[in-house]
Every structure is written in C-alpha cells, then in structure tokens.
Amino acid sequence: MFCSLKDLYRIGPGPSSSHTIGPYRICLAFLNEIDKKTNYHFEVTLYGSLALTGKGHLTDKIIKSTLKDCNVIFDYKTQVDFPNTMTLKAYVNEKLVKEETYYSIGGGQIEKKGGESEKDKLVYPFSSFKEVKEYIKNKNISYIDFVKEFDDDDIIDYLKNILLHVEKEVEEGLVTEGYIAGKLHIKRIAPTLYKETIACKDDDKRDLYISTYAYAVSEVNTSGGEVVTAPTCGSAGVLPAVLYYLKKQLNVKEEDIINGLIVSGIIGGLIKANATISGAVGGCQAEIGSATCMAAGALCACNHLGLDYIEYASEMALEHQLGLTCDPVGGYVAIPCIERNSISAIKAYNSYIFAKHLVPHRQNTISLDEVIAVMKETGKDLSSNYKETAIGGLAKIHKV
C-alpha cells in the first residue's frame, strides 16, 4: 500500500523537509506532551545528519523559533541507529522534567523512539506501479476518478491548493533579490535569469524558462521560505518548474495540471513506500532522482499521454539519477542543490519528450518498479559520507 497524496505533498518551511519541517513538527509534538502553562527551558541535542548539516539546513533556527527558550547542541560523535535523530529535554528551575528522542524520517514525517510511529495514511491498496497501471486500464477510469476512489473526499481541492502554492513559490522567487545560504553568500539569480529568458529569442528559451522556475523555487527554499515537498524541500524546484512552464508558457488547463499532480503523487507515494525519499537514507537520488521521476510522469499526464508513456518517462528519469550523492557544501541546501534542481527539471522534460517518441516503437525493457528497487539497493550501498552529512564529495573538496 502507499500513502494519501496529502502525506506526500506537504507545505512547510525550507530548506529541508527532514532538517526543518521534521524538527519543527517534532518540537510541536514535544510541546503537546507538556504543561503549556509552565515556563520551561529546553535543551535539544542533534545527532547524525541533523548535527553534521544542521547549521546549513537552519535546523537550530527552526528549533529555537518553535521552543523559544532553548539551547541546541550539535553532537558530531555519538553514533545513532538512524541518521536524523534528536533528543529533547525540558527543564523547570534546572530540574529535568521531560525527555524524549525523535527521528525525522523524511518528507517532514517524524517518529518517536519507543512510542507509536507517525504513520502515513495508507489509502491506495497497491504495491507497484504495475498494479496501479493495470487497475486504471482495466476499469478505464481517469486519474481524478482513481484518487477520488481511494483518497480523502477533499483530495482534489487539496491538490488545487497545492498548485496555488506552487505558483506562489515560483513567483516569489522570480522577484526576490539578495543573497542566500549564510557563509556561502550566494547571490539570488532567478530574477536576473527571468529577465534574460523573456528577452531570449533563440532555441534556449524553453530550457531557460524551466531552469529559471526551478531556481526561483529553490532559492525560496534555501532561504527558509515555505515550499511544497515534492517530494522533499531539497528537491522542491523540479516539479513546480515544469508545471509552471506548462501553465504560463503553453497555456495548459488546470484540470490537466491536476492530472499531472495526481500521477506524480502516485509515483512519489510508491517510491516512498518501496524505497525512500530521504537524502540522509538514500542520497540525493532519493530526493532529486525521485522528483525528476515524478515530474517526467506528470508531464506525460498533463499532455494526455497514456500510462505506458508515463512509465517509460518516469523510469528513464530515475534510471539516470541512480547513485546521485547528497553532498551539500558547508551543509547548506545550495551547492549543488539549487543548480541540481534546475538541471533535473530540464532532464524531466527531456525524459517526457523521449518517451513521447519512443513508446510508439517499443516498450521499456526496465520497469519503473525495477528502477525504484534498484534505487533502494543503491542507497543502502552508498557510504554515509554521501548521505547528507557534508563529509564527502563536493562538501569535502570545497571547504567553506
């Protein structure tokens, strides 16, 4: 089974669903367990990836803004079973009155140690894309009818709100100037690129639009702005970029774009259930790879291509992101993250174009389900240095 699309598409503060949205929700869960009338001092200890990249991911900032009177400790040495672990302590007059350990398990989802884990609402009784494809084909139903059959009654209204937020993210990024990413001091480039794109009169125009929209969302995310997890904050620029391009440049109808959101949500839900969408668990292939895969499928759906096209495009997009490492320079969701969103949005569009012209002549040999399984195994084999720890790769070579 896989989750409701509401458990995949969440709105929350960037720059990382596992490092900001997750810790934010953990703090709220902890606050719900204590007497709100008492004045507490809090101490939060971050372990694993949360400690190693917490500063660059603004983890301490979101914790302090939520708990107020709080000291955040970065523990780089203690070995933990799960990479995104944090312990919260509440004190009254220097006396410890409450202590809990939580895990931020990806996509903004959280789990409490020794307690009931926060579970996705599993509403779709399918374990593979093959099963979904066969069900839709056999019943000859639309994607909207499919989600209405299994998801919440208000799911279409929810997706319309997600689409509105996606548009807001892009448009905010296109007009906001300045610098981001703390010590890296990176100049926002989306507003400049957008002006150049509008003026562009050659074959670069399509790719410039798509990449600029991805830059816009990623720059909003990196600065801590609110974005839609698609499927994560770190990969939030890919899907919005292609959907915004379809709406603004190609005048694609809202209903068709909602179809794209549904299909990408189905693919993302299956990846989340059968592999991972967490960079700290599977590397960047789990974030950007998944986002590229979802966006390629969405593009096919938006353009009225069938499920065979959707599978080919999605499989192709993910297959060529396998092994992608998560190595944020200085722990910031900026280098290579912003540029990677931009390049991957174009890759998603190219995967859609290839599928459109390949499917009439042959079926894909490798299924989407097989590539998702390979991504899971590849993530297991990746060294922890390449899983959102800022220890290996570009983070190691380029010192801040």
Side-chain angles (χ1 to χ4, degrees):
M1 297 183 73
F2 65 94
C3 66
S4 165
L5 302 194
K6 291 182 179 181
D7 287 328
L8 185 77
Y9 297 127
R10 302 174 189 263
I11 298 172
S16 167
S17 44
S18 58
H19 288 61
T20 45
I21 296 180
Y24 168 70
R25 297 185 68 232
I26 286 170
C27 290
L28 292 180
F30 189 67
L31 287 173
N32 283 334
E33 296 186 12
I34 58 179
D35 181 5
K36 295 177 178 60
K37 295 180 181 179
T38 304
N39 292 322
Y40 294 95
H41 169 70
F42 297 97
E43 181 181 277
V44 177
T45 304
L46 305 176
Y47 305 96
S49 177
L50 286 182
L52 291 163
T53 63
K55 282 284 185 184
H57 284 56
L58 308 183
T59 309
D60 54 336
K61 181 179 178 181
I62 197 72
I63 290 172
K64 289 177 180 178
S65 67
T66 308
L67 297 180
K68 309 305 180 189
D69 183 6
C70 179
N71 182 36
V72 179
I73 300 168
F74 295 84
D75 186 333
Y76 305 110
K77 296 180 179 179
T78 301
Q79 297 297 309
V80 287
D81 295 330
F82 188 79
N84 291 331
T85 300
M86 56 189 281
T87 297
L88 301 88
K89 297 178 180 179
Y91 294 87
V92 176
N93 297 326
E94 300 184 3
K95 180 183 178 182
L96 179 64
V97 295
K98 182 76 172 175
E99 177 178 351
E100 298 288 356
T101 295
Y102 284 83
Y103 311 110
S104 178
I105 60 179
Q109 195 171 0
I110 64 176
E111 182 177 327
K112 180 179 174 183
K113 183 178 181 180
E116 252 187 68
S117 21
E118 181 186 54
K119 290 181 171 58
D120 281 335
K121 187 177 181 182
L122 301 177
V123 298
Y124 295 97
F126 308 95
S127 59
S128 67
F129 188 78
K130 180 182 178 181
E131 292 176 3
V132 171
K133 185 164 72 169
E134 288 175 351
Y135 187 87
I136 292 175
K137 282 185 173 181
N138 290 339
K139 293 198 72 173
N140 192 28
I141 57 175
S142 69
Y143 303 126
I144 289 177
D145 287 339
F146 176 76
V147 295
K148 282 183 175 179
E149 183 174 342
F150 296 104
D151 221 311
D152 292 345
D153 292 340
D154 65 342
I155 187 61
I156 302 304
D157 288 336
Y158 183 87
L159 292 176
K160 287 180 179 179
N161 183 57
I162 289 295
L163 183 57
L164 285 174
H165 202 283
V166 159
E167 293 173 13
K168 177 185 173 185
E169 296 164 21
V170 176
E171 289 163 4
E172 179 184 342
L174 291 177
V175 297
T176 306
E177 299 181 339
Y179 291 82
I180 52 176
K183 291 180 181 179
L184 293 179
H185 200 58
I186 297 172
K187 184 179 180 181
R188 288 178 180 261
I189 198 67
T192 301
L193 279 177
Y194 188 48
K195 292 172 186 174
E196 291 187 6
T197 302
I198 293 172
C200 180
K201 298 187 183 301
D202 58 30
D203 294 338
D204 296 340
K205 202 172 185 76
R206 186 197 75 189
D207 286 356
L208 273 174
Y209 267 124
I210 293 171
S211 59
T212 298
Y213 296 153
Y215 259 96
V217 175
S218 297
E219 289 176 352
V220 169
N221 175 62
T222 302
S223 64
E226 277 202 343
V227 295
V228 173
T229 57
T232 65
C233 289
S235 60
V238 180
L239 181 62
V242 298
L243 296 183
Y244 195 83
Y245 174 76
L246 291 182
K247 181 171 182 179
K248 295 298 181 178
Q249 271 62 57
L250 302 185
N251 298 313
V252 173
K253 297 177 183 176
E254 182 182 272
E255 181 179 345
D256 292 328
I257 296 178
I258 293 297
N259 278 331
L261 268 180
I262 289 169
V263 167
S264 67
I266 291 168
I267 293 168
L270 285 166
I271 293 173
K272 189 176 181 182
N274 295 324
T276 181
I277 58 170
S278 170
V281 176
C284 197
Q285 60 170 357
E287 296 199 36
I288 283 289
S290 297
T292 312
C293 175
M294 291 163 59
L299 283 161
C300 291
C302 290
N303 287 284
H304 302 279
L305 296 179
L307 286 157
D308 291 336
Y309 291 86
I310 289 168
E311 178 168 20
Y312 207 143
S314 302
E315 173 270 316
M316 193 186 315
L318 182 55
E319 180 183 348
H320 298 291
Q321 300 277 29
L322 291 175
L324 192 61
T325 58
C326 186
D327 50 351
V329 172
Y332 293 95
V333 188
I335 301 173
C337 317
I338 297 175
E339 193 173 271
R340 193 170 279 173
N341 272 266
S342 175
I343 294 296
S344 295
I346 296 171
K347 183 178 284 190
Y349 204 91
N350 286 336
S351 296
Y352 145 68
I353 294 293
F354 283 142
K356 183 167 73 170
H357 292 281
L358 288 173
V359 170
H361 305 291
R362 73 178 189 198
Q363 295 295 303
N364 52 317
T365 303
I366 306 297
S367 71
L368 176 57
D369 294 319
E370 288 175 321
V371 175
I372 292 172
V374 172
M375 192 258 276
K376 180 180 181 179
E377 292 302 312
T378 305
K380 287 180 181 178
D381 292 338
L382 276 177
S383 163
S384 62
N385 290 356
Y386 301 101
K387 296 181 184 179
E388 212 168 2
T389 56
I391 294 175
L394 292 174
K396 178 181 180 182
I397 297 300
H398 186 91
K399 300 293 185 183
V400 180

